[in-house]
């Protein structure tokens, strides 16, 4: 199977039953994405596929051949941390760090969804071309990522600050979905 992972072409020979998460962690050594519940309920395994967030524990690697996959390791670049990663540090948005990689990837994917005008279950104006990212909207959109430490306020502040500044539009390793 061939993929582009964090901007680098990779080839892996794995069993067709291998999950995308196990491919990334066990075969490619990218251990940033965590195996939490292994049932898609906690979001610790969230990665981006062509800029869209998915739970890698529920995905078979074979389904994503030829696609661009971004893990938390791919968010930063040669210039340093992604602006969202820096905001998590500044707002104390992570504590144990177990959920942080999934939170970061989910937030980056969520920001693209908002910019494309995709509504959530709490979006008031479904006809608006761009959704407004209120605190309620942000919390709903991030509800698939659980933090056992309760750092939610810092996470929300970090995402809101980064989204409002427009500094979330990087890195080169992933492409925002059209």
């Amino acid at each position: 199977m061939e993929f582009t992972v964090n901007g680098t072409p990779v080839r892996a020979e794995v069993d067709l039953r291998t999950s995308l998460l196990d491919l990334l962690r066990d075969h490619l050594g990218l251990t940033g994405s965590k195996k939490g519940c292994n049932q898609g309920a906690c979001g610790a395994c969230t990665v981006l596929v062509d800029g869209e967030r998915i739970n890698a524990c529920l995905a078979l690697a074979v389904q994503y051949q030829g696609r661009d996959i971004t893990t938390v390791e791919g968010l930063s670049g040669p210039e340093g941390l992604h602006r969202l990663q820096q905001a998590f540090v500044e707002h104390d948005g992570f504590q144990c760090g177990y959920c942080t990689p999934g939170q970061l990837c989910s937030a980056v994917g969520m920001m693209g969804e908002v910019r494309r005008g995709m509504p959530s279950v709490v979006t008031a104006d479904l006809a608006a071309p761009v959704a407004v990212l209120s605190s309620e909207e942000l919390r709903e959109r991030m509800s698939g990522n659980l933090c056992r430490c309760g750092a939610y306020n810092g996470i929300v502040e970090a995402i809101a600050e980064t989204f409002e500044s427009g500094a979330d539009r990087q890195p080169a390793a992933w492409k925002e979905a059209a």
Side-chain angles (χ1 to χ4, degrees):
M1 293 182 232
E2 296 180 1
F3 312 87
T4 300
V5 179
N6 299 330
T8 303
V10 298
R11 182 176 175 85
E13 298 295 329
V14 296
D15 186 296
L16 294 177
R17 297 168 291 181
T18 303
S19 73
L20 182 58
L21 180 62
D22 288 341
L23 169 77
L24 295 168
R25 290 184 54 81
D26 301 340
H27 299 279
L28 302 179
L30 297 168
T31 57
S33 302
K34 301 296 188 274
K35 186 176 278 191
C37 67
N38 206 27
Q39 298 176 357
C42 73
C45 64
T46 303
V47 299
L48 299 168
V49 176
D50 296 333
E52 301 282 340
R53 56 186 171 164
I54 68 162
N55 291 327
C57 73
L58 297 179
L60 291 175
V62 68
Q63 295 174 275
Y64 297 95
Q65 289 186 84
R67 310 274 298 269
D68 290 325
I69 300 163
T70 303
T71 67
V72 70
E73 291 92 343
L75 292 180
S76 61
E79 62 281 348
L81 295 177
H82 183 283
R83 178 63 194 115
L84 183 59
Q85 291 172 308
Q86 188 60 44
F88 265 60
V89 172
E90 292 168 3
H91 290 279
D92 201 20
F94 69 95
Q95 292 180 8
C96 79
Y98 198 84
C99 73
T100 304
Q103 297 268 6
L104 289 163
C105 287
S106 187
V108 169
M110 181 268 304
M111 290 175 176
E113 294 166 7
V114 171
R115 288 206 162 90
R116 291 190 304 277
M118 295 176 64
S120 78
V121 72
V122 298
T123 301
D125 184 2
L126 298 178
V130 177
V132 175
L133 191 61
S134 66
S135 178
E136 179 185 20
E137 186 81 39
L138 194 156
R139 289 176 186 275
E140 168 57 26
R141 289 175 184 267
M142 292 297 294
S143 64
N145 292 79
L146 304 178
C147 171
R148 291 167 183 86
C149 301
Y152 291 115
N153 291 336
I155 292 168
V156 169
E157 291 169 7
I159 295 170
E161 177 188 277
T162 304
F163 186 80
E164 290 167 5
S165 73
D168 58 294
R169 296 182 187 202
Q170 56 166 340
W174 65 273
K175 300 173 198 161
E176 194 167 329

